[in-house]
Amino acid sequence: MKEIDWSKLTFSYTPTDYIVRSHYANGVWERPYATSDATIPIHVAATALQYSQQAFEGLKAYRRMDGTVGIFRPELNAARLQASAKAMYIAPVPTDLFMEAVILAVKKNIDYLPPYGTDATLYIRPILFGTTPRVGVGPASEFEFCVVVTPIGPYYPCGFGTTPFVINRHVDRAAPLGTGQYKVGGNYASSFRATEPAHKQGVGVLFLDSAEHRYLDECGAANIFLIKDGIYVTPKSESILPSITNRSLMELCADLGIAVVERPIAVDELSDFQEAASCGTGAAISPISRITDPDTGKVYEYGEKPGPICQLLYKTIRDIQFGRVEDTHHWCKIINNQ
């Protein structure tokens, strides 16, 4: 294990020893291999640079309580990357190749996996992009698949807490029939003009649907759920990325006897809920203290401390990820860490 002060890790990039690569040409993906070269030569006219022909994923490896290493639901990340690839006219990465590359990246950088008890993890970033040089508009015929890993600290260095959010009606995250349901870089880059000013003020951004600016869409780069009278309610929309964390939380709700409803949620309903939170790979659950609507002046309060259902769900999913309870759903892919 590397000599790293795990307590000082943040959610930022720390160089590791290897990345994993695979190239697609002539209709075939090559066998993934590890390389210590973290740079990739790419033609200046590659479709990834010219036309944003790119997709990516995000998942984590955990050092579990019994010393084993687990990766949380990687097969769902493989499926979601395949959906993004098809939407962007990229050759999809087969599930077995995706799994091989991810596991190889973790094993080759196992010394960077934080020890159990630090609440830190190894973040895994698969990246897929077109490399064919093109000036005329069109898709590539060759692609690169890479897996980068980096150790990251706990999302809440001072403990599980809340964040205020603000509604933004002046920047659209994604069009109804656009790429919002796919994990592609353009969705995030186009949101920076809303999220970066907000982050400087210590708040997150709640995006609305771009058709009517009436319904909740996403919280920055994450899904949102709200609790009303003990019921888990989350937006249903074709422009929202299908979050693996949100899906897992809904399945945990079924285990815990918590009803789940997926439906459009209008802004004017926000006062009806007792708890609200964003959810995603980074934090699992990030409870929301309040949502401010600057266009109407309304403020929707949910409390400065996480509510009881947010606390229950956060503890439950983290206990599964870190191996503190039985993984009855078999969500964690356990790998040999030798």
Side-chain angles (χ1 to χ4, degrees):
M1 189 172 293
K2 296 291 182 179
E3 292 296 325
I4 296 175
D5 188 344
W6 308 107
S7 66
K8 292 184 178 179
L9 285 175
T10 60
F11 203 115
S12 58
Y13 179 70
T14 298
T16 50
D17 291 341
Y18 296 94
I19 67 169
V20 171
R21 296 179 58 179
S22 173
H23 189 72
Y24 178 92
N26 300 315
V28 178
W29 282 104
E30 70 177 329
R31 184 81 180 269
Y33 65 94
T35 173
S36 58
D37 186 355
T39 62
I40 299 174
I42 184 170
H43 196 285
V44 70
T47 59
L49 300 178
Q50 299 297 315
Y51 304 117
S52 299
Q53 194 181 20
Q54 176 264 7
F56 70 101
E57 273 300 321
L59 61 162
K60 287 181 178 179
Y62 301 79
R63 181 85 67 178
R64 293 155 57 86
M65 188 171 66
D66 63 1
T68 60
V69 177
I71 305 174
F72 189 68
R73 309 196 78 172
E75 71 286 347
L76 294 187
N77 292 94
R80 193 169 65 179
L81 184 63
Q82 290 160 5
S84 298
K86 291 175 182 177
M88 303 299 287
Y89 272 74
I90 298 173
V93 177
T95 300
D96 56 351
L97 191 147
F98 178 95
M99 297 290 286
E100 181 181 355
V102 166
I103 291 171
L104 179 60
V106 172
K107 286 185 174 182
K108 294 295 289 187
N109 295 286
I110 198 67
D111 287 344
Y112 291 91
L113 179 64
Y116 176 79
T118 61
D119 211 25
T121 56
L122 190 69
Y123 186 76
I124 306 166
R125 170 56 57 84
I127 310 163
L128 180 60
F129 55 93
T131 58
T132 305
R134 290 197 68 138
V135 175
V137 177
S141 58
E142 295 191 22
F143 303 94
E144 193 76 19
F145 175 56
C146 305
V147 180
V148 179
V149 303
T150 187
I152 57 172
Y155 192 87
Y156 301 102
C158 298
F160 186 46
T162 61
T163 303
F165 273 74
V166 61
I167 292 172
N168 190 309
R169 288 185 176 82
H170 307 284
V171 175
D172 290 331
R173 190 192 69 86
L177 299 179
T179 59
Q181 69 271 47
Y182 307 114
K183 199 168 181 68
V184 297
N187 292 345
Y188 299 83
S190 63
S191 71
F192 290 165
R193 58 196 174 107
T195 58
E196 288 306 293
H199 292 165
K200 290 178 181 178
Q201 299 178 31
V203 300
V205 173
L206 175 55
F207 290 105
L208 304 181
D209 74 290
S210 59
E212 299 182 65
H213 296 136
R214 178 184 172 192
Y215 297 98
L216 308 191
D217 194 70
E218 285 200 0
C219 276
N223 280 193
I224 185 174
F225 70 85
L226 302 101
I227 305 298
K228 179 180 181 180
D229 301 327
I231 300 173
Y232 184 107
V233 186
T234 191
K236 186 176 182 62
S237 166
E238 291 184 356
S239 66
I240 294 175
L241 181 73
S243 164
I244 294 167
T245 303
N246 198 3
R247 173 175 170 173
S248 301
L249 293 174
M250 287 189 279
E251 293 175 24
L252 289 176
C253 281
D255 296 344
L256 298 168
I258 299 170
V260 172
V261 175
E262 291 183 83
R263 63 170 177 81
I265 303 172
V267 172
D268 56 16
E269 293 184 64
L270 285 173
S271 59
D272 299 337
F273 296 93
Q274 294 83 46
E275 299 180 47
S278 64
C279 58
T281 299
I285 295 174
S286 181
I288 297 171
S289 57
R290 64 184 177 276
I291 298 174
T292 300
D293 187 342
D295 293 318
T296 65
K298 292 182 179 179
V299 179
Y300 305 93
E301 298 282 356
Y302 303 105
E304 294 301 319
K305 294 182 179 180
I309 292 183
C310 281
Q311 291 186 53
L312 174 61
L313 290 173
Y314 180 76
K315 182 180 186 303
T316 302
I317 195 169
R318 298 284 281 176
D319 283 349
I320 292 171
Q321 291 167 337
F322 283 103
R324 293 189 283 260
V325 297
E326 183 182 0
D327 180 13
T328 57
H329 293 281
H330 307 290
W331 285 343
C332 299
K333 172 68 175 177
I334 307 302
I335 65 173
N336 180 354
N337 61 358
Q338 301 301 317

